[in-house]
């Protein structure tokens, strides 16, 4: 991306030209370095900051154990909070007797639901589905608990041990109520309604229609139909949720440390729900040990801890344990899809329909169930007619919220399995069938049936690259005979689209969101000649601080090591929304680019004055100096420029002291990444056991600011995707409504030893709608693995008439699919 120039106009959006990666079988494809334009004298040239595999600035403290996370913070005289939770999925709270607990030595304050309801408002929604009615989601159940794990009572004491002992002394009289933990049961005629004033548990139905789906189905030569069951999972970040709330009596301020992806939005919600002046609330997010969408917005415990602190005038700390995490953090993914795909005999896809039912849980969490599950339903394919119906159902489970992918893995599973089966039914090679129906590069930008506008890319090239990497043609044509262990081999494909970012704050406003699409950056020179960079974006493992430093450095002409990023403090950073929806690099890069351009203008103007030249036209910033390109004046250290600006001692006439710039950037379009996965499996047809022998993912996220960080983001997404595809599933007992595997002993999240090897390949097609041509990358790895694996297993067992339609894909379910396929073939 570097143009080699050092002027405020450098680093404009690059033309949308494709750059291929260098093929790699080592697990990490790499890309060609951007060429430098020869405009600077050789002695002034410096390596481009964009596109380099720079080591993360954050790693030194993380790897040496010096990084400070929330649980490392120990305020003086802090109290510790423990929360009593409903053991029932649905129960009336008849009475709560706290007298014995209140008398326990060390107990300072106790809260019950009725008190919380009197002094707060219900939790607010940040990303609502407009059609879902407002539900009174209190921080603590005042009279009826609607899911196992919902807070009912809370104790603040001198230690966590004392607080938990006090909970054992609290006498709560529950009256269990009939529960529903299955969407079909929840919408049955005899199901009890969960919410007063809301008729039934089907909270909303939304539809989107393009063309004439009914006619297209009738005119299709072949229609494939199936019901797909998506499993309920949880994010499991290494660091769970936590908060330290400290009310300052003299000033009336509420200082909050919270492990969150969105400190500015947490501040907003705390002020609204607690009825505080937002100017009196300060939120700081220290190092965050993983988020994945789980840490978006305020949770009940954040409000409860704040109430304890306001009552006791002491800091109150709470860090969830894993039992609490499973029962009270937001869950994700669970949905039921009834879908149809219609095509002509020559292999032209005509229509795709999908009726999906989302299990929302008991309440709408701050981000709620996936609002974009249907945005990329048709993937990278041309589809004449489309119908999508989304049903939101309330059940007696923990609320569902955002999780990496946020609907895209689910819809990809549906679309790609139907594409594979249609190819098989038509007798067309699955690769050729996909290529035949793909949107071509020359057709971009392209508006899909969902209204999404794909900005650019080369979808066929991504798919072909993945197929070539596993030697697809040879695998498809070899003899279908068992190996020496009786295993059959199959190959599966899955192409995908990744929506990254939002198409403007105005668009979000029309959708009812309580936040904007913009981000902001403040840059400030220091007397040392370095640059402080302040942003509201938090960093939780993705390397965002390093990438932002590279952007600022590239635009200004300094080294990335000269840029120090300070993030996650609402009292120090300009406004913004936070890090989610694969938007961080898009919005932050735009703000960083503009702020760096503004700061460069200031620096060069001051430098021209100090160097005694009439104009800054021939001056550039090069590393730690400002240099005259003509060469008639000696370079001046950047530190000298900053020192004069900060002191105000020697500035051009009319220039105010200080060297600082703040910029806001509001993206005006979403950018859509793309890619494909190819998978090779070996399956034992007698037991259903299988092994992933090869897995290749190709990906195009536009310009790669730092390819190492891109690889890391895709790797992390793949690890979570394999877990959800093969192992993870939250299970509720249908009779009792209890979560039956809510511990790390019973919930099978993968370790590194459980994951297959994989290989990455990258294409680069810079986006025409974003700064620097970047697209988001954080969720790409989560999208295609489940579909590619399912298709590979079905291919290996195609002589057994096997179809995979449910996640996770376990050997037992594969064996059952073999049995069912043989039964249906009789």
């Amino acid at each position: 991306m570097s143009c080699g120039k050092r002027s405020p106009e450098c680093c404009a959006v690059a033309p949308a030209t494709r750059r291929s990666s260098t093929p790699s079988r080592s697990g990490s494809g790499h890309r060609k370095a951007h060429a430098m334009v020869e405009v600077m004298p050789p002695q002034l040239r410096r390596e481009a900051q964009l596109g380099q595999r720079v080591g993360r600035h954050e790693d030194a403290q993380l790897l040496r154990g010096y990084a400070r996370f929330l649980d490392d913070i120990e305020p003086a005289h802090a109290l510790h909070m423990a929360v009593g939770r409903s053991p029932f999925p649905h129960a009336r709270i008849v009475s709560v007797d706290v007298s014995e607990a209140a008398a326990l030595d060390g107990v300072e304050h106790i809260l019950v639901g009725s008190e919380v309801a009197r002094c707060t408002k219900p939790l607010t929604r940040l990303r609502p589905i407009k059609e879902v009615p407002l539900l009174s989601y209190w921080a603590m159940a005042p009279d009826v608990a609607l899911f196992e794990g919902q807070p009912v009572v809370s104790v603040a004491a001198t230690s966590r041990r004392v607080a938990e002992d006090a909970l054992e002394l609290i006498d709560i009289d529950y009256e269990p109520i009939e529960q529903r933990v299955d969407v079909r049961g929840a919408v049955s005629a005899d199901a009890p309604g969960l919410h007063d004033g809301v008729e039934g548990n089907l909270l909303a139905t939304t539809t989107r229609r393009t063309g004439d789906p009914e006619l297209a189905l009738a005119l299709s030569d072949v229609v494939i139909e199936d019901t797909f069951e998506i499993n309920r999972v949880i994010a499991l970040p290494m660091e769970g949720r936590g908060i330290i709330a400290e009310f300052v009596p003299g000033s009336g301020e509420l200082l909050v440390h919270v492990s969150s992806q969105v400190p500015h939005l947490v501040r907003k919600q705390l002020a609204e729900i607690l009825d505080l002046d937002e100017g009196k609330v300060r939120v700081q997010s220290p190092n965050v040990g993983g988020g994945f969408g789980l840490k978006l917005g305020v949770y009940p415990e954040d409000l409860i801890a704040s109430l304890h602190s306001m009552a006791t005038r002491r800091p109150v700390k709470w860090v969830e344990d894993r039992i609490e995490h499973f029962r009270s953090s937001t869950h994700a993914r669970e949905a039921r899809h009834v879908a149809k795909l219609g095509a002509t005999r020559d292999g032209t896809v005509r229509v795709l329909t999908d009726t999906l039912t989302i299990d929302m849980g008991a309440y709408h969490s701050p981000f709620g169930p996936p609002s974009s599950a249907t945005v990329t339903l048709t993937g990278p394919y041309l589809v004449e007619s489309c119908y999508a119906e989304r049903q939101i159902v309330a059940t007696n489970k923990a609320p569902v919220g955002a999780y990496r992918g946020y609907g895209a893995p689910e819809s990809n599973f549906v679309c790609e399995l139907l594409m594979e089966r249609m190819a098989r039914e038509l007798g067309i090679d699955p690769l050729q069938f996909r290529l035949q129906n793909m949107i071509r590069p020359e057709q971009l930008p392209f508006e899909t049936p969902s209204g999404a506008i794909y900005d650019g890319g080369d979808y066929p090239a991504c798919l072909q690259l993945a197929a070539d990497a596993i030697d697809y043609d040879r695998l498809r044509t070899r003899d279908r005979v068992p190996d020496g262990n009786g295993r059959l081999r199959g190959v599966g494909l899955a192409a995908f689209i990744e929506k990254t970012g939002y198409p403007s704050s105005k668009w979000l406003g029309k959708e009812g969101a309580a936040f904007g699409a913009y981000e902001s950056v403040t840059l400030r020179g220091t007397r040392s000649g370095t640059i402080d960079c302040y942003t509201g974006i938090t960093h939780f493992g993705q390397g965002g601080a390093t990438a932002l430093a590279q952007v600022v450095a590239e635009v200004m002409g300094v080294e990335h090591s000269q840029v120090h990023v300070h993030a996650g403090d609402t009292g120090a950073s300009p406004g913004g929304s936070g890090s989610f929806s694969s938007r961080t690099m898009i919005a932050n890069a735009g703000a960083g680019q503009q702020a760096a351009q503004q700061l460069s203008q200031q620096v060069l103007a001051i430098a021209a004055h100090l160097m005694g030249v009439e104009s800054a036209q021939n001056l550039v910033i090069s590393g730690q100096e400002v240099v005259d390109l003509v060469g008639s004046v000696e370079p001046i250290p950047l530190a000298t420029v900053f020192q004069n600006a900060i002191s105000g001692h020697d500035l051009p006439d009319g220039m105010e002291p200080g060297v600082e710039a703040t910029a806001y950037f509001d993206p005006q379009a979403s950018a859509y990444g793309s890619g494909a996965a190819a998978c090779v499996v070996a399956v034992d047809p007698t037991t259903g056991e299988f092994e992933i022998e090869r897995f290749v993912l190709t990906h195009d996220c536009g310009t790669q600011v730092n390819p190492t960080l891109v690889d890391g983001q895709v790797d992390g997404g793949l690890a979570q995707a394999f877990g959800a595809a093969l192992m993870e599933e939250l299970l509720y007992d249908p009779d009792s409504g209890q979560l039956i595997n809510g511990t790390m002993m019973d919930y099978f999240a993968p370790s590194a030893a459980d994951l297959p090897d994989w290989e990455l390949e990258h294409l680069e097609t810079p986006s025409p709608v974003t700064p620097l041509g970047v697209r988001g990358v954080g969720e790409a790895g989560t999208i295609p693995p489940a579909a590619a694996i399912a298709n590979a297993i079905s291919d290996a067992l195609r002589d057994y008439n096997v179809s995979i339609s449910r996640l996770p894909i376990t050997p037992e379910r594969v064996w059952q699919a073999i049995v069912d396929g043989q039964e249906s073939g009789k």
Side-chain angles (χ1 to χ4, degrees):
M1 273 300 306
S2 172
C3 59
K5 297 180 180 178
R6 295 295 164 228
S7 68
E9 290 76 30
C10 74
C11 295
V13 175
T17 56
R18 174 172 171 261
R19 295 184 176 94
S20 298
S21 67
T22 301
S24 168
R25 295 293 177 95
S26 64
S28 164
H30 63 277
R31 32 90 87 201
K32 298 177 181 178
H34 297 293
M36 297 285 288
V37 179
E38 302 292 332
V39 296
M40 299 180 70
Q43 68 271 22
L44 300 183
R45 291 187 206 130
R46 50 185 283 282
E47 187 173 328
Q49 302 295 285
L50 297 189
Q52 300 305 309
R53 290 185 176 272
V54 170
R56 297 196 313 177
H57 294 187
E58 306 94 318
D59 283 351
Q61 60 169 333
L62 291 170
L63 295 175
R64 290 179 171 87
Y66 299 136
R68 190 167 81 149
F69 294 86
L70 183 127
D71 202 21
D72 296 317
I73 302 172
E74 294 290 349
H77 312 296
L79 299 175
H80 296 264
M81 183 176 88
V83 180
R85 304 176 186 278
S86 171
F88 299 100
H90 198 186
R92 185 170 291 105
I93 303 166
V94 179
S95 63
V96 181
D97 183 356
V98 302
S99 56
E100 190 174 353
L104 184 67
D105 186 33
V107 171
E108 296 293 329
H109 193 238
I110 298 177
L111 279 170
V112 297
S114 57
E115 295 173 294
V116 172
R118 280 198 301 269
C119 58
T120 68
K121 298 174 183 176
L123 271 70
T124 53
R125 304 187 297 181
L126 294 171
R127 185 71 171 92
I129 295 174
K130 291 186 290 185
E131 294 80 5
V132 174
L134 287 172
L135 306 174
S136 294
Y137 185 12
W138 300 99
M140 194 176 285
D143 48 14
V144 177
L146 292 184
F147 64 94
E148 179 196 0
Q150 184 172 5
V152 174
V153 65
S154 179
V155 176
T158 51
S159 72
R160 179 70 175 253
R161 179 187 62 80
V162 172
E164 291 182 348
D165 287 346
L167 289 178
E168 296 293 326
L169 300 176
I170 296 175
D171 183 16
I172 305 176
D173 184 10
Y174 291 101
E175 181 182 297
I177 304 172
E178 186 180 1
Q179 53 76 26
R180 290 289 188 273
V181 290
D182 172 77
V183 290
R184 282 169 285 189
V187 298
S188 63
D190 61 342
L194 269 64
H195 295 279
D196 292 339
V198 178
E199 184 178 352
N201 296 319
L202 177 57
L203 301 182
T205 299
T206 63
T207 60
R208 187 186 295 271
R209 178 188 301 269
T210 301
D212 191 337
E214 291 79 8
L215 179 61
L217 283 170
L219 296 178
S220 294
D221 296 319
V222 178
V223 175
I224 303 293
E225 178 180 5
D226 202 354
T227 298
F228 301 91
E229 302 280 354
I230 310 297
N231 45 332
R232 192 179 189 91
V233 298
I234 196 166
L236 282 181
M238 186 175 293
E239 179 198 30
R241 295 184 294 117
I243 182 172
I244 300 171
E246 184 173 1
F247 183 74
V248 184
S251 64
E253 294 178 321
L254 179 64
L255 172 62
V256 171
H257 290 86
V258 62
S259 182
S260 176
Q261 300 170 232
V262 289
H264 280 284
L265 298 185
V266 168
R267 181 193 191 210
K268 169 191 182 300
Q269 287 188 287
L270 285 173
E272 291 172 343
I273 300 168
L274 296 172
D275 197 21
L276 298 175
D277 178 350
E278 190 172 339
K280 294 286 189 178
V281 180
R282 181 176 183 178
V283 175
Q284 295 176 319
S285 289
N287 288 292
V288 177
F292 315 122
L294 178 88
K295 298 176 180 177
L296 295 181
V298 156
Y299 276 85
E301 294 84 359
D302 303 328
L303 298 161
I304 297 169
S306 298
L307 290 173
H308 279 308
S309 181
M310 294 165 71
T312 62
R313 303 302 198 253
R314 291 172 64 176
V316 174
K317 181 176 181 178
W318 174 80
V319 176
E320 73 173 0
D321 60 34
R322 286 297 176 186
I323 300 295
E324 292 178 301
H325 179 76
F326 278 105
R327 286 166 173 79
S328 58
S329 288
T330 54
H331 298 171
R333 297 274 193 263
E334 185 175 11
R336 184 172 186 267
H337 295 250
V338 179
K340 298 179 183 180
L341 183 71
T344 60
R345 281 289 175 194
D346 66 359
T348 301
V349 172
R350 303 198 62 167
V351 57
L352 174 61
T353 69
D354 184 19
T355 298
L356 63 148
T357 305
I358 297 176
D359 187 335
M360 189 187 79
Y363 296 99
H364 192 299
S365 66
F367 264 68
S371 57
S372 55
T374 59
V375 171
T376 56
L377 173 63
T378 55
Y381 305 110
L382 281 165
V383 180
E384 297 175 6
S385 299
C386 185
Y387 175 77
E389 178 179 311
R390 179 183 58 191
Q391 300 174 347
I392 310 294
V393 176
T395 64
N396 292 114
K397 295 179 183 173
V400 159
Y403 178 47
R404 203 172 190 176
Y406 203 33
E410 299 95 288
S411 57
N412 181 261
F413 185 72
V414 172
C415 178
E416 285 299 320
L417 265 63
L418 289 175
M419 291 292 289
E420 185 81 12
R421 295 179 193 177
M422 180 62 76
R424 191 189 313 171
E425 182 68 24
L426 294 173
I428 302 175
D429 178 83
L431 172 62
Q432 296 308 314
F433 178 65
R434 287 177 169 86
L435 292 173
Q436 176 182 339
N437 286 284
M438 271 187 168
I439 301 166
R440 313 295 300 181
E442 60 271 17
Q443 295 172 299
L444 298 169
F446 181 88
E447 184 170 354
T448 72
S450 70
I453 299 177
Y454 295 171
D455 54 303
D458 193 336
Y459 311 149
C462 271
L463 179 59
Q464 190 66 60
L465 181 60
D468 291 345
I470 62 165
D471 201 358
Y472 176 87
D473 290 338
R474 181 184 65 82
L475 290 170
R476 287 289 297 180
T477 56
R478 69 182 178 185
D479 292 338
R480 294 185 49 75
V481 295
D483 63 13
N485 295 316
R487 301 183 306 176
L488 295 168
R489 280 171 175 77
V491 56
L493 302 172
F496 71 94
I497 297 291
E498 178 194 10
K499 178 180 181 290
T500 70
Y502 294 110
S504 82
S505 295
K506 288 185 177 180
W507 180 86
L508 279 171
K510 293 176 182 177
E511 291 294 305
F515 56 89
Y518 71 90
E519 283 302 329
S520 57
V521 166
T522 292
L523 300 179
R524 185 179 300 146
T526 75
R527 294 176 178 85
S528 303
T530 57
I531 300 164
D532 281 332
C533 175
Y534 296 91
T535 173
I537 291 285
T538 55
H539 305 299
F540 41 92
Q542 73 273 56
T546 303
L548 179 56
Q550 288 180 262
V551 170
V552 172
E554 177 76 9
V555 177
M556 289 201 67
V558 300
E559 299 295 329
H560 65 86
S561 58
Q562 293 173 249
V563 182
H564 305 308
V565 177
H566 310 278
D569 183 351
T570 65
S573 64
S577 294
S579 187
F580 56 93
S581 192
S582 294
R583 60 180 290 278
T584 306
M585 200 66 247
I586 295 173
N588 233 20
Q593 178 189 33
Q594 293 180 10
Q597 290 170 349
Q598 295 172 24
L599 192 64
S600 295
Q601 291 177 330
Q602 296 178 36
V603 170
L604 295 178
I606 298 169
H609 170 75
L610 296 174
M611 297 168 77
V613 299
E614 293 184 2
S615 169
Q617 181 176 357
N618 293 321
L619 301 184
V620 296
I621 302 170
S622 181
Q624 299 183 15
E625 298 178 320
V626 178
V627 179
D628 180 8
L629 288 176
V630 178
S632 60
V633 182
E634 286 296 313
I636 184 173
L638 198 58
T640 301
V641 178
F642 288 168
Q643 288 165 10
N644 274 274
I646 294 168
S647 67
H649 290 170
D650 190 6
L651 297 176
D653 292 341
M655 180 173 283
E656 298 290 335
V659 56
E660 181 175 312
T662 297
Y664 289 77
F665 177 75
D666 194 350
Q668 296 304 298
S670 294
Y672 288 82
S674 59
C679 179
V680 180
V681 298
V683 188
D684 185 334
T686 62
T687 66
E689 292 181 301
F690 60 91
E691 178 185 0
I692 298 173
E693 295 188 328
R694 291 282 304 279
F695 191 94
V696 175
L697 186 135
T698 58
H699 182 252
D700 184 352
C701 66
T703 302
Q704 297 183 56
V705 172
N706 186 324
T708 297
L709 299 182
V710 171
D711 288 347
Q713 284 289 281
V714 178
D715 284 342
L718 283 169
Q720 288 181 300
F722 284 120
L726 304 175
M727 303 172 69
E728 299 180 42
E729 184 175 23
L730 290 168
L731 297 171
Y732 283 81
D733 182 83
D735 297 322
S736 68
Q738 301 286 325
L739 179 62
I740 60 178
N741 64 335
T743 72
M744 296 297 289
M745 294 278 292
D746 307 304
Y747 182 82
F748 300 130
S751 69
D754 297 313
L755 296 171
D757 292 331
W758 59 76
E759 304 152 45
L760 303 183
E761 302 285 354
H762 294 290
L763 298 181
E764 274 193 270
T765 312
S767 171
V769 300
T770 66
L772 313 176
V774 300
R775 296 186 177 91
V777 67
E779 296 165 288
T782 66
I783 301 174
I789 295 167
N791 285 335
I793 292 172
S794 296
D795 178 60
L797 300 172
R798 63 180 183 265
D799 295 337
Y800 292 80
N801 194 30
V802 162
S803 293
I804 305 295
S805 304
R806 182 180 176 184
L807 295 175
I809 307 167
T810 63
E812 180 183 7
R813 286 178 177 165
V814 173
W815 174 82
Q816 187 62 56
I818 294 170
V819 172
D820 293 343
Q822 291 175 320
E823 289 292 329
S824 64
K826 291 180 180 179

